[in-house]
């Protein structure tokens, strides 16, 4: 009986992965050229940056190459690459957001430290949505959020500055962050959402 197209593809992939596990560069090249466009498109859909999507695609396949013996355990390469790409893309977004958050807290201009135009555009879009949400906060919550998250003051410092208790500051922050997270989750895509959720963490 002639194997189906699906079975043939599966057997071909298993053979290629087995060869890659043994260090065969030619088999790796076949897998790379077969799947890298799909990996790139999937990363691009999340991160909205061509240059970053290209970097992610390259890094995903570097990781595939380094898996060595673990490659033969992969049952569905297409699904495996999708999960690997998603996880790595979200990791990149979280790293970018933390860098941006640290830069703002230190009073540095993120644009001056990064030349990736697309990356900066992502942050400008993120800031636009976040600023829209901040403007909708009640006055006291907005003030507390601004002092804590945008000026980098600790709860104790805000409490002293506003002549209110630390617990009141914390309560205002919790309400503000809850509203902001709900707002951004319904007004943006997954890439910017990851950045905003990182920026809206409570670690001060």
């Amino acid at each position: 009986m002639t194997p189906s197209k699906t079975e043939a593809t599966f057997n071909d992939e298993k053979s290629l992965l087995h060869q890659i596990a043994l260090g065969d560069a030619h088999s790796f090249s076949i897998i790379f050229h077969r799947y890298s466009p799909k990996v790139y498109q999937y990363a691009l859909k999340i991160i909205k940056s061509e240059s970053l999507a290209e970097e992610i695609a390259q890094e995903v396949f570097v990781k595939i190459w380094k898996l060595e013996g673990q490659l033969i355990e992969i049952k569905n390469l297409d699904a495996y690459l999708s999960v690997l790409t998603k996880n790595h893309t979200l990791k990149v977004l979280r790293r970018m957001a933390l860098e941006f958050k640290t830069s703002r807290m230190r009073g540095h201009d993120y644009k001056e430290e990064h030349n990736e135009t697309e990356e900066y555009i992502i942050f400008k879009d993120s800031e636009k949505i976040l600023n829209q949400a901040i403007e909708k906060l009640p006055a006291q919550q907005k003030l507390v959020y601004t002092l804590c998250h945008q000026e980098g003051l600790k709860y104790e410092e805000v409490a002293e500055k506003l002549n209110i208790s630390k617990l009141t500051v914390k309560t205002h922050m919790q309400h503000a962050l809850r509203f902001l997270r709900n707002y951004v989750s319904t007004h943006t895509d997954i890439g910017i959402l990851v950045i905003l959720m990182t920026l809206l963490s409570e670690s001060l």
Side-chain angles (χ1 to χ4, degrees), residues 92-148:
V92 169
L93 283 166
R94 284 191 288 268
R95 185 199 70 217
M96 288 166 55
L98 288 172
E99 289 177 359
F100 184 52
K101 184 176 183 178
T102 301
S103 179
R104 290 203 315 174
M105 295 290 279
R106 292 176 178 172
H108 296 160
D109 189 337
Y110 189 87
K111 185 176 182 180
E112 292 179 358
E113 299 175 2
H114 294 75
N115 295 321
E116 299 90 347
T117 303
E118 292 173 322
E119 187 173 330
Y120 182 66
I121 290 173
I122 291 173
F123 281 118
K124 291 305 291 182
D125 289 343
S126 301
E127 280 199 307
K128 181 180 179 180
I129 293 169
L130 182 56
N131 288 335
Q132 290 173 352
I134 292 172
E135 288 303 313
K136 296 181 181 296
L137 288 171
Q140 193 73 348
Q141 289 181 25
K142 180 179 178 181
L143 178 58
V144 168
Y145 174 84
T146 299
L147 291 171
C148 289

Side-chain angles (χ1 to χ4, degrees), residues 7 17 24 26 35 41 106 131 176 189:
E7 290 174 333
L17 291 175
D24 182 39
H26 178 66
Y35 284 101
Q41 288 297 332
R106 292 176 178 172
N131 288 335
D189 57 44

